[in-house]
Protein backbone atom coordinates (compact mmCIF):
# COMPACT_ATOMS: atom_id res chain seq x y z
CA UNK A 1 0.00 0.00 0.00
CA UNK A 2 2.81 2.42 0.92
CA UNK A 3 4.63 1.92 -2.38
CA UNK A 4 1.40 2.43 -4.28
CA UNK A 5 0.78 5.73 -2.51
CA UNK A 6 4.35 6.86 -3.18
CA UNK A 7 3.89 5.97 -6.85
CA UNK A 8 0.62 7.93 -7.02
CA UNK A 9 2.31 10.85 -5.29
CA UNK A 10 5.17 10.80 -7.79
CA UNK A 11 2.72 10.79 -10.70
CA UNK A 12 0.80 13.73 -9.22
CA UNK A 13 3.94 15.75 -8.49
CA UNK A 14 5.27 15.32 -12.01
CA UNK A 15 1.86 16.03 -13.50
CA UNK A 16 1.63 19.24 -11.47
CA UNK A 17 5.13 20.32 -12.52
CA UNK A 18 4.36 19.49 -16.15
CA UNK A 19 1.21 21.60 -16.05
CA UNK A 20 3.20 24.46 -14.55
CA UNK A 21 5.79 24.11 -17.31
CA UNK A 22 3.04 24.19 -19.94
CA UNK A 23 1.38 27.17 -18.27
CA UNK A 24 4.64 29.11 -18.12
CA UNK A 25 5.61 28.39 -21.70
CA UNK A 26 6.20 31.62 -23.57
CA UNK A 27 5.39 33.82 -20.56
CA UNK A 28 7.44 36.84 -19.58
CA UNK A 29 7.76 36.74 -15.80
CA UNK A 30 8.31 39.68 -13.50
CA UNK A 31 7.38 40.43 -9.93
CA UNK A 32 4.21 42.43 -10.53
CA UNK A 33 0.71 41.94 -9.20
CA UNK A 34 -0.65 41.62 -12.74
CA UNK A 35 1.81 38.84 -13.56
CA UNK A 36 1.03 37.04 -10.32
CA UNK A 37 -2.72 37.17 -10.96
CA UNK A 38 -2.19 36.03 -14.55
CA UNK A 39 -0.26 33.03 -13.28
CA UNK A 40 -2.76 32.08 -10.60
CA UNK A 41 -5.67 32.22 -13.02
CA UNK A 42 -3.85 30.42 -15.82
CA UNK A 43 -5.75 27.10 -16.06
CA UNK A 44 -2.56 25.02 -16.31
CA UNK A 45 -1.01 26.70 -13.26
CA UNK A 46 -4.25 26.53 -11.26
CA UNK A 47 -4.89 22.84 -11.98
CA UNK A 48 -1.22 22.13 -11.24
CA UNK A 49 -1.66 23.81 -7.84
CA UNK A 50 -4.74 21.71 -7.08
CA UNK A 51 -2.88 18.54 -8.02
CA UNK A 52 -0.01 19.59 -5.76
CA UNK A 53 -2.43 20.01 -2.86
CA UNK A 54 -3.68 16.45 -3.36
CA UNK A 55 -0.10 15.18 -3.66
CA UNK A 56 0.81 16.96 -0.43
CA UNK A 57 -2.09 15.35 1.43
CA UNK A 58 -0.99 11.93 0.19
CA UNK A 59 2.56 12.74 1.23
CA UNK A 60 1.40 13.66 4.74
CA UNK A 61 -0.20 10.23 5.02
CA UNK A 62 2.91 8.48 3.67
CA UNK A 63 5.13 10.36 6.13
CA UNK A 64 2.84 9.48 9.02
CA UNK A 65 3.09 5.75 8.24
CA UNK A 66 6.51 5.23 6.69
CA UNK A 67 10.13 5.70 7.62
CA UNK A 68 11.56 8.96 6.30
CA UNK A 69 14.80 7.21 5.38
CA UNK A 70 12.81 4.96 3.04
CA UNK A 71 10.01 7.08 1.61
CA UNK A 72 11.94 10.28 0.96
CA UNK A 73 14.67 8.69 -1.18
CA UNK A 74 11.97 6.92 -3.20
CA UNK A 75 10.57 10.36 -4.06
CA UNK A 76 13.72 10.82 -6.14
CA UNK A 77 11.92 8.80 -8.80
CA UNK A 78 10.10 12.08 -9.52
CA UNK A 79 13.28 13.18 -11.26
CA UNK A 80 13.21 10.11 -13.48
CA UNK A 81 9.59 10.58 -14.50
CA UNK A 82 10.08 14.34 -14.99
CA UNK A 83 13.00 13.69 -17.32
CA UNK A 84 10.88 11.27 -19.35
CA UNK A 85 8.04 13.81 -19.55
CA UNK A 86 10.51 16.51 -20.60
CA UNK A 87 11.88 14.24 -23.30
CA UNK A 88 8.56 12.88 -24.59
CA UNK A 89 6.19 15.83 -24.26
CA UNK A 90 8.36 18.95 -24.16
CA UNK A 91 10.85 17.60 -26.73
CA UNK A 92 13.82 18.35 -24.48
CA UNK A 93 17.21 17.02 -25.48
CA UNK A 94 18.70 14.86 -22.73
CA UNK A 95 22.44 14.27 -22.97
CA UNK A 96 23.95 10.85 -22.37
CA UNK A 97 25.47 11.91 -19.04
CA UNK A 98 22.03 12.88 -17.75
CA UNK A 99 20.67 9.46 -18.77
CA UNK A 100 23.47 7.90 -16.73
CA UNK A 101 22.44 10.02 -13.75
CA UNK A 102 18.81 9.00 -14.22
CA UNK A 103 19.90 5.35 -14.26
CA UNK A 104 21.80 5.88 -11.02
CA UNK A 105 18.71 7.41 -9.41
CA UNK A 106 16.71 4.32 -10.39
CA UNK A 107 19.44 2.06 -9.05
CA UNK A 108 19.61 4.04 -5.81
CA UNK A 109 15.85 3.87 -5.32
CA UNK A 110 16.02 0.12 -5.90
CA UNK A 111 18.65 -0.33 -3.20
CA UNK A 112 16.79 1.93 -0.78
CA UNK A 113 13.66 -0.16 -1.23
CA UNK A 114 15.38 -3.45 -0.35
CA UNK A 115 14.66 -4.82 3.09
CA UNK A 116 17.50 -5.88 5.33
Amino acid sequence: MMYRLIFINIILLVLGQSLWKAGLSGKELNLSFKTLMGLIFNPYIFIGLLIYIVATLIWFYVLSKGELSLVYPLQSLCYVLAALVGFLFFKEQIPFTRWIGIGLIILGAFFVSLKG
Side-chain angles (χ1 to χ4, degrees), residues 12 26 66 87 105-106:
L12 292 175
F87 179 73
I105 291 169
I106 294 169

Side-chain angles (χ1 to χ4, degrees), residues 1-113:
M1 169 83 163
M2 187 65 62
Y3 290 116
R4 188 174 310 157
L5 288 174
I6 292 170
F7 179 72
I8 291 168
N9 194 52
I10 289 168
I11 298 288
L12 292 175
L13 289 173
V14 174
L15 179 59
Q17 289 283 335
S18 300
L19 287 169
W20 290 349
K21 173 76 172 163
L24 293 169
S25 181
K27 301 280 192 256
E28 178 76 25
L29 294 183
N30 56 47
L31 296 177
S32 71
F33 182 75
K34 181 180 177 183
T35 300
L36 181 61
M37 290 297 107
L39 287 176
I40 291 173
F41 291 106
N42 176 308
Y44 292 108
I45 303 290
F46 186 75
I47 293 169
L49 285 170
L50 293 178
I51 289 171
Y52 246 68
I53 290 169
V54 173
T56 300
L57 294 174
I58 292 170
W59 186 242
F60 286 166
Y61 180 82
V62 168
L63 284 176
S64 75
K65 303 294 182 190
E67 296 178 10
L68 184 63
S69 62
L70 170 66
V71 299
Y72 198 65
L74 292 178
Q75 283 290 100
S76 67
L77 294 173
C78 280
Y79 305 132
V80 174
L81 184 57
L84 291 173
V85 168
F87 179 73
L88 295 172
F89 294 101
F90 294 107
K91 307 301 181 208
E92 296 176 0
Q93 297 299 312
I94 300 178
F96 180 71
T97 53
R98 199 171 304 158
W99 285 118
I100 291 172
I102 290 166
L104 290 172
I105 291 169
I106 294 169
L107 188 62
F110 170 75
F111 281 116
V112 165
S113 70

